[in-house]
Amino acid sequence: MANSTHLLERFQKFQELIPYQDHGIMPMEAFALCKFIEDIGATIILESGTANGYSTEILGNMFPELKVITIDNQSTYGEKTQEATKKRLSYLDNVSFIVSNSFSELPKHIKSNEDKVIAVFIDGPKHDQGAKLANLCNEYKNVAFSALHDRLKPAED
C-alpha cells in the first residue's frame, strides 16, 4: 500500500492551486478517490461527467503518469461549458476529452484497455442511471472499481 502521507501532501499542494468548480465533488471525496486509485495501482482513469472539470483537473494533476479520459454528453451543462473546461485544462497532456454517451463510450475504452487496471469515476449521469453505469463497468475484469458521485436524489422541499 502506498504512503498516505505523501499522497495527502501532494493533494494539499494541488488543492491550493486548483480553485473549486461549481458542481464539483467535495475535496475530501476527491482525496478518497485519489487514495483508491493509488491503492489499486490504476494504470488508466475513466471519468463520466466532466462538467466544469474540477475532478478532471485534480485527477490529471495527481496522476500525471496516467491517462485520464473524461466523457460528457453535454446535455446538462452544454457545449459552451465543455469547451471552456477543455480550454482551461489544456495544460494537462494526460487528459483526453470525449463528447459522447458514457453508456456506449465507457465499455469501448474498457475493452480496448484489457491490459490496464482501470479506475472509473462517475459524476454523471446522476442517481439511478449513474448506479446502472457503475454496475455495467464493474462487469469487466480490468475495472478495479467504479466510484459514483451523487447516487441519492436530493430531498424534495
Side-chain angles (χ1 to χ4, degrees), residues 80-112:
K80 185 177 178 182
T81 296
Q82 184 75 22
E83 287 304 313
T85 299
K86 187 176 179 180
K87 182 179 179 182
R88 184 173 61 78
L89 301 183
S90 64
Y91 74 94
L92 294 167
D93 295 334
N94 61 327
V95 176
S96 299
F97 293 84
I98 297 174
V99 176
S100 187
N101 180 310
S102 291
F103 278 96
S104 59
E105 201 67 38
L106 281 175
K108 283 195 278 186
H109 288 281
I110 294 168
K111 289 175 189 174
S112 68

Side-chain angles (χ1 to χ4, degrees), residues 50-61:
T50 312
N52 293 305
Y54 181 65
S55 54
T56 311
E57 189 168 19
I58 289 172
L59 295 171
N61 277 290

